[in-house]
Amino acid sequence: MANFVDTNIVVAKVVDTDPNHKLVEEFFKDSRMDIMESVYQELRQTFYEKAFSALTKLKKAISKANKMEFSSEEEEIRAIRELTIQICRETEPQILNFCEYIVKVAEERGLLLVRKRVKLLKEMNDFIIEQMSKIDRLSGTHRIIRLQTEELESAIDIYDRVRERFKDDYDALIFSEAVMFSAKTDEPCTLYTLDKNFAGTARKVLEELRAENPDIKLQVVYLLDEIEKKAE
């Protein structure tokens, strides 16, 4: 059985401050994730961009803290933490989990202090690179689905038909590749997602495609609904 996952699920697995981290870890503890190469490559790109963007917000928070006075290190640490989250909420709320992640790691390492800002930047740069290696190691424990040229062409044909139904290119591409794969394999295929809107759209489009091609064996599952069902 193929257990395809979207980018949000893989991020939740890698980022331990993600609100869905424990749920994803528990759900997939006894089963392998099947990660489309498009998801894998998007994850590497977005993780890198979001993590360094979060680090930039931490740097801005430290610059602000440098102009303030504190009565204790505890007060200084709290101020830097709160300033970082505030800056993130005001400028880029969609990466809040990455900001919390970076702040948590920096605090655990005793780096949330103005006087340690040079060491913080060096260590956190190194840390982000280490996390990229962690993403790379996913290929050792989970299956990365790399499509052949003919398969990619078929997936792009599907993508061209359904693109306007999805909110962005990546959603449409992930869906199209999973549809194509499911139509050419004997194994049942499930595409898990943490995006409820994506799940709803994908199911509607899937019904239309399956009416034309009954060989499509894909089902789309909103992971939190599936976890709730198992808990009943």
Side-chain angles (χ1 to χ4, degrees):
M1 179 172 181
N3 297 310
F4 298 123
V5 291
D6 70 355
T7 311
N8 291 327
I9 288 179
V10 189
V11 167
K13 178 173 178 57
V14 173
V15 179
D16 60 12
T17 57
D18 188 286
N20 294 306
H21 175 73
K22 290 182 179 178
L23 292 174
V24 169
E25 284 278 271
E26 179 65 22
F27 187 83
F28 287 101
K29 70 178 182 180
D30 297 320
S31 60
R32 177 191 65 194
M33 287 183 182
D34 294 302
I35 306 171
M36 283 293 183
E37 189 169 23
S38 58
V39 172
Y40 183 63
Q41 295 302 336
E42 184 202 2
L43 173 64
R44 296 186 84 259
Q45 179 181 344
T46 57
F47 186 93
Y48 183 89
E49 291 173 352
K50 289 178 180 179
F52 275 108
S53 182
L55 183 57
T56 297
K57 288 162 180 51
L58 175 54
K59 287 161 61 179
K60 288 180 179 178
I62 289 175
S63 294
K64 285 190 174 185
N66 194 34
K67 300 172 184 175
M68 302 164 67
E69 294 184 2
F70 304 102
S71 59
S72 66
E73 284 194 349
E74 290 74 17
E75 184 183 351
E76 182 178 345
I77 290 167
R78 184 170 60 252
I80 293 172
R81 183 197 311 125
E82 291 173 355
L83 280 168
T84 305
I85 301 306
Q86 178 187 337
I87 292 168
C88 186
R89 285 195 172 120
E90 292 174 352
T91 60
E92 205 173 359
Q94 66 270 27
I95 68 162
L96 183 60
N97 61 328
F98 278 86
C99 288
E100 292 171 342
Y101 181 48
I102 292 299
V103 168
K104 176 188 173 187
V105 173
E107 184 172 357
E108 288 173 348
R109 297 185 178 199
L111 301 172
L112 279 193
L113 295 165
V114 172
R115 62 183 171 80
K116 292 189 177 181
R117 60 186 178 275
V118 173
K119 185 178 181 184
L120 179 144
L121 294 177
K122 182 182 183 307
E123 286 201 19
M124 294 310 296
N125 269 288
D126 291 344
F127 173 76
I128 293 172
I129 299 303
E130 287 171 11
Q131 298 313 293
M132 293 300 296
S133 297
K134 184 177 177 182
I135 293 170
D136 291 338
R137 289 197 296 274
L138 285 172
S139 60
T141 53
H142 300 279
R143 180 168 61 161
I144 308 298
I145 306 293
R146 295 181 170 89
L147 304 180
Q148 301 301 313
T149 301
E150 183 181 337
E151 294 171 328
L152 281 171
E153 289 174 352
S154 297
I156 292 300
D157 286 342
I158 298 169
Y159 167 87
D160 287 340
R161 291 183 57 189
V162 306
R163 168 62 190 95
E164 64 182 20
R165 305 283 293 276
F166 293 89
K167 74 177 188 298
D168 60 41
D169 291 341
Y170 275 116
D171 280 359
L173 183 59
I174 290 164
F175 172 79
S176 301
E177 290 183 347
V179 167
M180 188 286 309
F181 186 92
S182 76
K184 296 196 173 196
T185 182
D186 294 328
E187 59 183 310
C189 302
T190 302
L191 172 57
Y192 292 99
T193 178
L194 282 169
D195 184 334
K196 196 167 190 175
N197 291 330
F198 170 69
T201 299
R203 288 184 191 125
K204 290 176 184 175
V205 176
L206 196 55
E207 285 179 15
E208 298 168 13
L209 294 176
R210 195 179 283 123
E212 301 174 14
N213 184 359
D215 287 335
I216 297 172
K217 293 172 281 294
L218 182 69
Q219 63 172 331
V220 180
V221 173
Y222 177 53
L223 185 63
L224 300 187
D225 283 349
E226 187 70 10
I227 290 172
E228 190 175 315
K229 285 180 187 176
K230 288 192 171 186
E232 292 176 355

